[in-house]
Amino acid sequence: MLFDGLEKKNNRYMVGYDLGEYESQISYCSLVNPAAETIPVVAGSEQYNIPTVLCKRMEVSQWFYGKEALRVADMKEGTLVTGLLEKACRGEMVEIEDREYDPVALLTLFVKRSFGLFSMQASLDKIEILVITVRDLDGPIVSVLEQVVAGLGLKTERIFFQSYKESFYYYMLHQPAELWTGEPVIFDMQKDKMTAYILECNKRTIPTVTFSCEADFSQFPIADENSMDQEFYEVAASVMYGREVSVVFLIGDGFKQDSMDVSLRFLCKGGRRTFKGNNLYSKGAAYGAVERLCPSKRGKEYVFLGVQKLKSNLGIQMIREGRESYKTLLDAGVNWYDAKAKCQFYLESGNKIYVAITPLTNIRATQQAGGKYPVIYEEITLEGLPERPKKTTRLELSASMTDVQTVQIEVEDLGFGEIVKPTHQVWKKTIILT
């Protein structure tokens, strides 16, 4: 079973939060029900979108969020604040009634208020793990999200961030296998542009390496609905040309119109499945939470290597119980800003350590058939390390990343208890991944 070994008496929740530029959503899985469900803004409806806005009522300290914020603003009873995520990332103060408000505090307020919808399902202290998904992850957005999370007051420390591309990947992991016989595609039409995401798999490798390609189309949405069907058909045909597309997802308000006969006939051609919806990313975030808590069988067979992902495995060879073994430091597939490791070991002899780097990309053609990866060894020389008898030098190695291609290694001499005093000398090595 998916959650085998986890206690079900006190039901726990894996929550996915889609923090969108214009609209947000909350989906969840639970120990009792592992299928992702999305929380409606109106009980019993399929209205899942929470407008990502706040509104301050005039002359009083009263704030509204979502649809209620839009209603109060429409009645001219308050000041509407839009673009919360963008303002927070830019550090743009929000001025209302001659007073400035911190944009990160406002974004935190919106997220906190919207979590009130989840509290109608279960208490917030029942959240075992939370994944927040946004369109793109970069340094400024990660910094903002970390501040938002700190202000939520959630009891869990298992909080992660992922991009829409990664949420697409996790969503597909939990779909029937027949939908992933080829390349899945999303067409996401928002207010300012349309974006296409394509999942590509290299099934000749073990594990199967998955990437996501992206293409932006700024001409969409277009004002003329009469020509949109033909123009979208031409764009879809160009994106899917030469690809074996198994399933297509249409996301966003731009696909609500019914007059799309030409494009839909093309999308469904050759037995392709086509779905319309608007809660794929939040469900993908919830499934991402599931995989982090308890990886599924398929999740162990695939690894997603997005833009912010570490694309190599790093480790060291060591002797354990008389046998040579491999000690993992950093695993490919984790976000570079989450990639951290620390371990202690005894040096057999000499003053050198070798870090094994196994890239999961750019596999040599002669090795692809066997699903094998080339291994690169980075040497760390511990200059100035005192000469000692064998196995009497204890070292602590720390690994972290400063960006998606740069690994920082630090090694500290801890000596050997009372027998060999430590020098606490630290050696540093910067490794650039290619």
Side-chain angles (χ1 to χ4, degrees):
M1 295 183 65
L2 184 61
F3 299 117
D4 187 32
L6 295 176
E7 182 60 60
K8 291 188 178 181
K9 286 191 294 185
N10 297 315
N11 196 19
R12 309 293 291 178
Y13 292 83
M14 287 64 71
V15 178
Y17 189 103
D18 174 9
L19 182 55
E21 299 97 324
Y22 305 110
E23 293 173 319
S24 299
Q25 289 181 358
I26 305 173
S27 291
Y28 66 92
C29 303
S30 71
L31 298 182
V32 172
N33 181 16
E37 297 185 25
T38 306
I39 296 178
V41 295
V42 178
S45 74
E46 293 186 359
Q47 300 177 35
Y48 304 127
N49 291 336
I50 310 165
T52 311
V53 296
L54 288 173
C55 183
K56 179 187 176 299
R57 189 182 289 279
M58 292 180 180
E59 299 181 355
V60 294
S61 183
Q62 185 178 13
W63 292 86
F64 303 91
Y65 81 99
K67 291 188 175 182
E68 185 66 7
L70 294 176
R71 185 189 69 79
V72 173
D74 286 342
M75 296 174 62
K76 312 297 183 185
E77 295 179 358
T79 303
L80 189 68
V81 184
T82 61
L84 293 172
L85 183 57
E86 183 181 5
K87 287 181 172 68
C89 290
R90 291 204 312 252
E92 179 183 322
M93 299 297 288
V94 178
E95 185 173 336
I96 302 176
E97 298 174 355
D98 298 326
R99 179 179 172 182
E100 288 190 333
Y101 293 87
D102 180 356
V104 176
L106 292 182
L107 182 62
T108 304
L109 176 62
F110 168 79
V111 175
K112 200 167 188 176
R113 290 285 180 87
S114 59
F115 257 110
L117 291 172
F118 180 81
S119 64
M120 299 174 66
Q121 170 68 30
S123 171
L124 295 184
D125 62 11
K126 295 290 186 181
I127 296 177
E128 185 75 17
I129 181 171
L130 168 66
V131 172
I132 298 177
T133 185
V134 294
R135 183 167 298 279
D136 297 299
L137 273 178
D138 55 25
I141 290 181
V142 170
S143 176
V144 165
L145 293 179
E146 288 175 341
Q147 294 175 70
V148 169
V149 164
L152 294 181
L154 298 177
K155 291 187 177 181
T156 181
E157 295 182 356
R158 293 174 171 174
I159 301 176
F160 302 88
F161 312 133
Q162 65 189 38
S163 67
Y164 281 178
K165 292 178 184 178
E166 190 171 3
S167 292
F168 184 21
Y169 160 75
Y170 281 120
Y171 180 84
M172 288 306 303
L173 273 186
H174 287 255
Q175 301 310 302
E178 60 266 22
L179 293 184
W180 210 342
T181 56
E183 296 174 332
V185 174
I186 283 179
F187 291 102
D188 182 348
M189 196 180 302
Q190 300 297 326
K191 294 181 181 180
D192 52 351
K193 66 179 179 181
M194 183 174 71
T195 304
Y197 300 120
I198 307 101
L199 278 185
E200 297 182 349
C201 293
N202 186 351
K203 295 185 178 179
R204 294 173 295 182
T205 62
I206 302 172
T208 299
V209 175
T210 307
F211 302 88
S212 180
C213 301
E214 176 180 347
D216 291 333
F217 301 92
S218 57
Q219 73 266 34
F220 284 92
I222 58 178
D224 186 0
E225 292 188 4
N226 295 324
S227 62
M228 178 179 162
D229 186 19
Q230 180 64 29
E231 292 198 28
F232 174 61
Y233 156 72
E234 293 173 1
V235 167
S238 69
V239 169
M240 297 165 61
Y241 177 76
R243 297 181 180 274
E244 295 183 5
V245 176
S246 55
V247 60
V248 177
F249 299 94
L250 305 178
I251 295 175
D253 291 342
F255 292 114
K256 284 187 175 179
Q257 64 173 2
D258 297 324
S259 55
M260 296 184 64
D261 297 338
V262 174
S263 51
L264 284 178
R265 277 199 301 272
F266 167 72
L267 293 178
C268 297
K269 187 178 179 180
R272 279 192 295 259
R273 304 282 297 277
T274 301
F275 300 92
K276 284 185 182 181
N278 63 2
N279 58 347
L280 185 151
Y281 300 131
S282 63
K283 282 190 172 183
Y287 286 132
V290 169
E291 292 294 330
R292 286 174 172 87
L293 184 66
C294 188
S296 63
K297 181 178 182 294
R298 187 189 286 183
K300 295 175 182 177
E301 296 170 350
Y302 286 75
V303 59
F304 178 76
L305 299 183
V307 175
Q308 303 295 327
K309 298 290 186 178
L310 171 60
K311 297 175 178 61
S312 300
N313 291 325
L314 278 78
I316 54 176
Q317 296 292 136
M318 60 174 56
I319 304 297
R320 184 177 295 170
E321 296 180 354
R323 296 183 179 182
E324 186 171 319
S325 65
Y326 176 83
K327 169 65 177 177
T328 299
L329 295 176
L330 303 177
D331 279 322
V334 301
N335 290 314
W336 66 264
Y337 46 83
D338 290 328
K340 296 179 179 65
K342 185 175 289 188
C343 67
Q344 294 184 5
F345 55 92
Y346 294 97
L347 192 63
E348 177 78 9
S349 61
N351 67 339
K352 297 183 186 299
I353 299 171
Y354 295 91
V355 177
I357 302 170
T358 311
L360 300 197
T361 56
N362 302 320
I363 303 170
R364 301 181 189 125
T366 56
Q367 294 177 313
Q368 282 189 343
K372 298 178 181 178
Y373 302 92
V375 179
I376 302 164
Y377 290 94
E378 283 283 347
E379 179 184 289
I380 303 175
T381 301
L382 309 180
E383 294 182 358
L385 180 69
E387 291 188 16
R388 296 165 178 164
K390 281 189 174 184
K391 301 180 183 179
T392 59
T393 295
R394 183 163 57 101
L395 301 173
E396 181 172 83
L397 185 150
S398 302
S400 61
M401 301 189 70
T402 55
D403 59 49
V404 74
Q405 290 184 307
T406 308
V407 180
Q408 297 288 352
I409 302 290
E410 291 190 3
V411 181
E412 181 180 356
D413 173 26
L414 301 181
F416 190 71
E418 294 298 322
I419 300 174
V420 176
K421 296 296 184 183
T423 65
H424 293 295
Q425 184 176 352
V426 175
W427 296 268
K428 297 183 180 181
K429 173 85 172 185
T430 299
I431 299 174
I432 305 299
L433 305 175
T434 57

